[in-house]
Amino acid sequence: MKKYVMALDQGTTSSRAILFDKYGKICAKAQHEFSQIYPQAGWVEHSPMSILFSQLQSATEVLATSGIPVEEIAAIGITNQRETTLVWEKATGKPIYNAIVWQCRRTAEMCEKIKADAELSQYIKDHTGLVVDAYFSATKIRWILENVEGAQEMADRGELLFGTVETWLIWNLTGGKVHVTDYSNASRTMLFDVDKLCWDEYLCKKLGVPMSMLPEVKPSSMVYGEVASGVMGLEELAGVPIAGAIGDQPAALFGQGCYDAGQAKNTYGTGCFLLMNTGEKRVVSKNNLVTGVAWGLNGKVTYAIEGSAFNAGSVIKWLRDDLNMIDKASRCDELAESVPDANGIYFVPAFTGLGAPYWDMYARGTIVGITRGVNRAHICRSVLEAICYQMTDLLEAMKQDSDINLFELRVDGGASVSDVMMQIQSDLIRTPVNRPKMVETTALGAAYLAGLAVGFWKDTNELAQIRQVDKLFEPKMDIADRNKYYNGWLRAVERSRDWIEH
């Protein structure tokens, strides 16, 4: 009897494998970090083989430690860091360059040239739902083809394959038999028509990306193939169906039970990602947010409007690992709670530019308002506030675009365990913040989609009954104080955008 679904959660800094039971509870999990590569300022890369091996290692470990028989695993669902771009040889599976990570800004100049063509820039927005930015995959592919010797010629001969991370994992897990992506990941490439649900031939030609490189686009919940025999470390999983694939942020939206139009979630991870379900209708943003397909399920697609902040949990990691200001992530909370406010300072964490609604590739991290009275606790407080301010920017823009006022914001991700930060967030957005008992909603969303594909769960109504609330944070701050603090943030953002002339 099938009792479990395995989720492979391939993130920006680590790969995880989690086994969920019928009630959405974690039965076993394993996690392995891998190295971040920074060839020069603003560039971020990963080793494709490190991504693969860390994911295989996590899956192997979760099987070994759980003692659960493979016969009881119904399916595997995959969720992944989006936009991160891999190109490999079709014949050998050998990557021709490191994975260029979603955070990487090396193609900023290329994007400026695209933006200079107003007609092309508008076409991209109209057809892909995205704004032109180095964040997305298309210019990363172009960079690899231009900068790896012989790559363009190989691509023109049909010898290279492109994929985002889930495509790379599925290709390897199936022994090179299946080259697919799902609607949610395709929507982040800047090459996919989100209305027609197909690769855009005109954009591929304009950006010099041979369509032979691109994976087949499929719904997020279906059997793509099976784990092949001979996959290193996963021999015992051979024959288990790979039945779900979805980008990490829409996966969290699905895992949070946001199945109806108007429901929204925010994930506090390496970056922050706010998504609102807009149903079967795509909302065209007037405030520099992006739109795309959240998932494909049961012959229908669900759209979402989204805003992203590039640096969130990564800033807490920076405090710990680079500044040695804290010895562990939880210390940031302890210090932040020890002071009533940030003592007049604002921290803008634009390490890799600013995402929505500013989309400023050249903004840089800034701390303003420092006086002699500022100490370590105030800096920690300003970091947590900065994460919440960024989300407030996004939510304000989202409300204007959708004409929907949220009755609550559902939250998840590693940093959402911070009570002090969730209270700050509720105060700033003037809306209750709802944190579930199960904060592993990204992996859970992938598991749900895989389970639905093989009949492990019946429908979304059954899934909605599983979610349990851990804590509800209600707004407490006086509205006048809230507005004063938020206006100070907006001024600090402008300082960060004045840093580099461009």
Side-chain angles (χ1 to χ4, degrees):
M1 181 180 175
K2 305 298 184 184
K3 298 180 181 179
Y4 308 95
V5 174
M6 178 183 286
L8 303 182
D9 182 357
Q10 205 300 300
T12 306
T13 58
S14 67
S15 298
R16 299 187 300 163
I18 302 178
L19 283 171
F20 292 97
D21 67 12
K22 187 87 170 176
Y23 305 100
K25 292 182 179 177
I26 293 175
C27 300
K29 67 178 177 179
Q31 177 172 342
H32 288 276
E33 293 191 356
F34 54 90
S35 298
Q36 308 296 300
I37 303 167
Y38 305 103
Q40 56 182 274
W43 292 30
V44 191
E45 297 178 358
H46 292 156
S47 160
M49 302 315 294
S50 292
I51 290 174
L52 176 61
F53 291 155
S54 62
Q55 190 63 81
L56 295 179
Q57 191 177 9
S58 297
T60 303
E61 187 175 311
V62 86
L63 286 172
T65 57
S66 69
I68 291 170
V70 171
E71 295 75 30
E72 295 183 357
I73 298 175
I76 295 171
I78 297 175
T79 183
N80 58 287
Q81 50 166 318
R82 299 172 301 168
E83 301 94 20
T84 294
T85 297
L86 301 98
V87 176
W88 64 94
E89 295 177 357
K90 186 176 183 179
T92 66
K94 181 182 177 183
I96 66 167
Y97 190 77
N98 276 339
I100 301 181
V101 180
W102 58 273
Q103 298 161 309
C104 187
R105 312 310 291 169
R106 77 185 63 193
T107 62
E109 191 175 328
M110 195 185 301
C111 290
E112 291 297 341
K113 291 178 180 176
I114 295 172
K115 286 180 181 179
D117 184 339
E119 188 175 327
L120 177 58
S121 185
Q122 189 61 45
Y123 183 94
I124 288 171
K125 186 172 184 180
D126 291 344
H127 290 260
T128 71
L130 306 177
V131 298
V132 177
D133 193 83
Y135 187 20
F136 305 111
S137 307
T139 58
K140 301 181 195 298
I141 304 172
R142 181 71 247 141
W143 189 94
I144 291 173
L145 295 182
E146 286 182 0
N147 289 275
V148 175
E149 187 177 352
Q152 186 67 63
E153 293 76 14
M154 292 180 72
D156 291 340
R157 293 194 298 266
E159 296 172 0
L160 296 181
L161 298 178
F162 152 74
T164 40
V165 170
E166 88 298 343
T167 300
W168 169 244
L169 292 177
I170 293 171
W171 195 86
N172 280 282
L173 287 170
T174 59
K177 292 178 182 177
V178 180
H179 186 220
V180 299
T181 187
D182 90 299
Y183 291 136
S184 73
N185 280 293
S187 293
R188 307 294 288 190
T189 61
M190 216 168 78
L191 294 171
F192 185 71
D193 189 311
V194 292
D195 295 312
K196 296 179 181 176
L197 302 178
C198 64
W199 297 116
D200 190 295
E201 189 173 354
Y202 171 75
L203 278 179
C204 290
K205 188 173 181 181
K206 287 290 288 185
L207 297 175
V209 177
M211 295 187 76
S212 60
M213 296 179 69
L214 304 178
E216 190 175 357
V217 188
K218 298 281 193 178
S220 311
S221 178
M222 66 173 291
V223 176
Y224 308 112
E226 298 176 345
V227 177
S229 58
V231 176
M232 186 179 66
L234 292 185
E235 290 83 0
E236 57 187 312
L237 276 176
V240 175
I242 302 168
I246 185 170
D248 50 8
Q249 301 316 316
L253 189 70
F254 199 86
Q256 281 275 29
C258 296
Y259 307 131
D260 297 324
Q263 290 184 296
K265 71 90 198 173
N266 186 52
T267 296
Y268 300 82
T270 301
C272 265
F273 303 88
L274 178 65
L275 273 74
M276 179 187 287
N277 181 332
T278 63
E280 294 180 49
K281 177 188 175 186
R282 178 164 77 96
V283 171
V284 178
S285 176
K286 302 181 287 290
N287 291 285
N288 290 324
L289 301 179
V290 297
T291 59
V293 180
W295 54 76
L297 177 66
N298 297 330
K300 297 179 180 179
V301 296
T302 294
Y303 289 94
I305 189 166
E306 174 175 352
S308 311
F310 299 149
N311 289 283
S314 59
V315 190
I316 299 172
K317 193 174 181 182
W318 174 71
L319 289 181
R320 184 192 68 192
D321 298 343
D322 298 287
L323 295 190
N324 296 318
M325 191 173 285
I326 54 176
D327 58 350
K328 55 184 178 180
S330 60
R331 189 80 69 214
C332 187
D333 279 8
E334 294 169 13
L335 288 165
E337 283 187 291
S338 72
V339 291
D341 55 41
N343 198 8
I345 67 169
Y346 291 89
F347 176 52
V348 183
F351 295 159
T352 50
L354 287 169
Y358 306 104
W359 292 109
D360 189 335
M361 295 180 282
Y362 301 97
R364 287 296 176 263
T366 307
I367 301 178
V368 299
I370 295 177
T371 61
R372 184 62 183 81
V374 168
N375 60 34
R376 183 170 63 139
H378 297 126
I379 292 174
C380 288
R381 179 96 185 187
S382 74
V383 164
L384 299 188
E385 290 180 352
I387 295 169
C388 297
Y389 283 130
Q390 290 180 103
M391 289 307 95
T392 305
D393 286 340
L394 296 175
L395 199 56
E396 291 295 321
M398 204 167 277
K399 287 177 181 177
Q400 291 175 32
D401 276 342
S402 65
D403 293 325
I404 295 172
N405 280 315
L406 285 184
F407 65 89
E408 71 172 14
L409 176 67
R410 296 186 173 187
V411 298
D412 54 60
S416 70
V417 299
S418 168
D419 283 2
V420 61
M421 189 165 75
M422 294 302 95
Q423 185 58 56
I424 293 168
Q425 189 69 86
S426 180
D427 287 339
L428 288 173
I429 63 175
R430 309 295 298 168
T431 301
V433 167
N434 181 322
R435 185 174 65 199
K437 287 186 177 179
M438 169 60 69
V439 296
E440 297 282 7
T441 53
T442 301
L444 185 61
Y448 279 166
L449 287 160
L452 288 170
V454 297
F456 188 76
W457 288 290
K458 182 182 176 183
D459 54 30
T460 54
N461 290 329
E462 181 181 354
L463 300 181
Q465 303 305 311
I466 294 174
R467 188 181 188 276
Q468 295 180 308
V469 178
D470 171 55
K471 193 167 183 178
L472 194 67
F473 299 86
E474 302 272 3
K476 295 179 181 177
M477 185 183 290
D478 180 81
I479 186 68
D481 288 337
R482 179 265 181 202
N483 291 342
K484 179 184 73 174
Y485 288 128
Y486 185 54
N487 287 334
W489 161 257
L490 296 176
R491 291 195 300 275
V493 168
E494 288 311 306
R495 298 293 185 274
S496 78
R497 302 182 71 186
D498 288 342
W499 178 245
I500 296 177
E501 292 185 11
H502 57 279

